[in-house]
Amino acid sequence: NISDISFQELNILLYCILTCLNVFFPNLDFSWSTELEQNLKDVFQLSTFRPLQLKAINLSMSGKDLFLVMPTGRGKSLCYQLPAVCSEGFTLVVTPLVSLMEDQLMYLKSIDVEAVSLNASSSKEHAKMVLAEMTDSKAPFKLLYVTPEKIAKSKLLMSRLEKAYNAGRLSRIAVDEVHCCSQWGHDFRPDYKLLGILKRQFPKVPLLGLTATATGSVLKDCQKILCVPEPITLTASFNRTNLYYEVRLKDSNSDDSVSDISALIKERYKDQSGIVYVFSQKDAETVSADLQGKGVNASPYHANMNPEDKSQVHRKWATNKIQVVVATVAFGMGIDKADVRFVIHHTISKSIENYYQESGRAGRDDKPADCIVYFGFNDIFRISTMVVMENVGQQKLLTMVDYCQNVDRCRRSVIAVHFDEVWDDEGCNEMCDVCRHDYITVDITQHAKDVVQIVELAGSLDEKLTPLKVTEAWMGKGPAKRRKMIQTTTLSRLEVEAIITSLLLQGYLSEDFSFTPYTTYFYLKLGGKAPLLKNQSHSITMKMRRTGLDANTVSTTQQTVQESFRQEAFGCISRD
Ligand SMILES: Nc1ncnc2c1ncn2[C@H]1C[C@H](O)[C@@H](COP(=O)(O)OP(=O)(O)OP(=O)(O)O)O1
Ligand SMILES: [Mg+2]
Ligand SMILES: [Zn+2]
């Protein structure tokens, strides 16, 4: 009943309506709008906001708790840096890596925004000064960067924050890479679990959690851990329309992927900047040396290098003195180079989330860039034994394998599913290899029966077969006794691998791990769907690329696969 509403309540209601209007129609003015615009131009030297930035900033400025999910390189930092400049007091920024912190401090210094940091390598004098200035109303700094460890371990810091809070000087809390809170995220950091203390101690300070990769359930988890009662979640679209996605097959017999990569770099990406991601530190060294041997200006980068060497490689690459960094995932967070024209994965990533983030280092300047992954059969099992102990590690790996193997759907739509988005194939605009080519559907039922029989036979003999052993057995390379009992194939190695991978993904085969104190072995066993093959009418199909469509982009290995698939004259070949 309207007459029951007091004048004050009416005022609040009006204020809420206006706030909502302002948020959804950001051109309407807030009291801070002019100052924002001015600082965006004068301090940050940017002309316009990118999608969602203004909305996020307005929400945070009006005191709301917010989770901002925005792809890498889209400009999440501005969403707390600009409000920090436009607010009284300072913004506390929690960052997982000291290197990220240093990059930001360097950047802020270059635009004359005062910022300080506290981390394990801060000197005593520096820490003392920062702690004293936190409660000083004349203190100049607008942002205070800390590692989560500091919040968890430094009582002194917490008590100074408390004082600053009471004095109204703690204007905002930003938790960068907020997915690190959750064990379900891909970069869980135990100290992030303790950050709930911030919202419990400082309930009136708006908190802004930022991440590039978080699913709905990860965010729910983060919300609980950070004790944020009702955050608003803003999610920017993950569709990076300027990135071209492509998968190339990697031959397990002869690893000529490095030759392929060097040819690409020297021709298609001549004089352009890029990254080649590899599986291990050893691979970083060898692939880098191989590329150098082929005349590519490349350098390795991995966690085991000393810090000076790492930052030297980073610096030289950032200033285009090195064309390509051959890196493990250690070269990741905080790599912010605008003109990266290619990100090539020499080995698949361990999940789609990882792949999206790593490949997302390309094309930050919104100009076209390529993301190419080399997909090798053996790599699946190399990574599999590594992630087997991780929470849902296996499942995540299979989604990456599915991304590479499946040519049923646009590559982007496979990525979209992971971010709970829907991008239709038209939205791709032929910016992935699947959308650029035609495919044929081949019937692989008989092949599936042959493979299943091999695995079944091994089982009955109490023998365990690695994927390599299954491949070889089917190709007729096993012991003569077994050869007599099974149906071998004349398909090529790559075709055999493609079919076994497909059977694994479709559940006709499944993984069987065996652990020793020193290593983990990966074997194949029958999957839940294997019994269906006993049914006469059951059939399995697989999509393959059609030949001769675009000789420039279809690699030779892929062509041979299709050629012999056709020669084999499968039961049914239908065109799509
Ligand atoms: N409105 C804008 N207009 C032009 N450039 C912008 C704008 N906002 C940000 N940028 C630039 C600044 C940086 O060089 C670059 C990336 O911003 P940054 O905040 O580091 O990304 P991010 O935090 O979303 O990515 P990551 O997930 O990798 O940390 O974008
Ligand atoms: Mg960032
Ligand atoms: Zn596509």
Side-chain angles (χ1 to χ4, degrees), residues 324-343:
V324 191
V325 179
V326 182
T328 61
V329 291
F331 195 65
M333 268 194 218
I335 301 301
D336 180 27
K337 187 175 198 291
D339 61 350
V340 176
R341 296 273 71 86
F342 61 94
V343 173

Side-chain angles (χ1 to χ4, degrees), residues 46 48 50 53 72-77 177 212 336 361 364:
L46 297 171
T48 49
R50 280 188 176 153
Q53 282 181 327
T72 68
R74 294 283 80 198
K76 288 182 286 297
S77 325
E177 312 290 348
D336 180 27
R361 309 281 160 210
R364 286 178 169 228

Side-chain angles (χ1 to χ4, degrees), residues 220-280:
K220 275 242 153 60
D221 208 20
C222 297
Q223 173 186 344
K224 240 190 277 163
I225 288 161
L226 292 175
C227 304
V228 189
E230 285 174 331
I232 295 172
T233 300
L234 288 186
T235 307
S237 173
F238 274 71
N239 196 354
R240 300 275 311 272
T241 49
N242 60 321
L243 299 186
Y244 173 71
Y245 293 98
E246 180 180 339
V247 177
R248 295 184 169 217
L249 295 183
K250 182 166 161 184
D251 197 332
S252 319
N253 270 340
S254 64
D255 186 2
D256 49 20
S257 54
V258 178
S259 311
D260 216 38
I261 292 172
S262 84
L264 273 177
I265 295 174
K266 288 198 293 194
E267 288 154 33
R268 199 194 289 182
Y269 307 120
K270 190 168 184 291
D271 298 327
Q272 296 179 342
S273 188
I275 306 172
V276 174
Y277 276 111
V278 293
F279 171 70
S280 63

Side-chain angles (χ1 to χ4, degrees), residues 124-137:
K124 269 206 175 113
E125 298 76 54
H126 176 78
K128 207 169 149 197
M129 180 200 78
V130 171
L131 289 167
E133 285 188 342
M134 281 167 67
T135 47
D136 179 352
S137 63

Side-chain angles (χ1 to χ4, degrees), residues 13-34:
L13 193 68
L14 262 176
Y15 175 80
C16 290
I17 292 171
L18 281 176
T19 309
C20 285
L21 275 174
N22 264 315
V23 166
F24 292 109
F25 302 96
N27 293 338
L28 296 186
D29 275 353
F30 286 101
S31 55
W32 53 79
S33 296
T34 317

